[in-house]
Amino acid sequence: MFVITLRFADKTRAGQLMESHNAWISRGFDDGVFLLVGSLQPAAGGAILAHNASRAEIETRVQEDPFVAEGVVQAEILEVTPGRLDERLAFLKA
């Protein structure tokens, strides 16, 4: 499982890339990799909970985000090995 943070580096260009960034997010959900996407508060960027992919696949996917590719955000990928889970999240241990 991965927690990905996308912290703004150059907000001024976010508006012009928002449509392609949102398309990238949609692909992540369509591919079954993204579980949750949300905003870091206050207006600091975004965060993604991802699974069902290797670290190399996640790194490649993150580099394909137009926000990352164009320097709008800086990405950090944290890999988490689930140890204790609510039963509703048991699929993350597989």
Side-chain angles (χ1 to χ4, degrees), residues 1-3 34-36 49-52 80-94:
M1 178 172 88
F2 300 90
V3 176
F34 293 171
L35 296 172
L36 173 147
L49 181 60
H51 82 124
N52 207 25
V80 179
T81 301
R84 185 172 174 183
L85 299 167
D86 182 286
E87 67 183 45
R88 293 170 290 179
L89 299 174
F91 67 95
L92 292 174
K93 280 189 111 173

Side-chain angles (χ1 to χ4, degrees), residues 58-69:
I58 293 294
E59 288 172 353
T60 297
R61 184 177 292 272
V62 167
Q63 291 306 311
E64 293 171 349
D65 176 3
F67 273 14
V68 173

Side-chain angles (χ1 to χ4, degrees), residues 5-23:
T5 60
L6 304 171
R7 295 194 181 272
F8 281 120
D10 181 7
K11 264 187 182 181
T12 62
R13 301 184 52 228
Q16 64 193 18
L17 295 168
M18 188 60 72
E19 187 175 327
S20 57
H21 172 70
N22 285 333

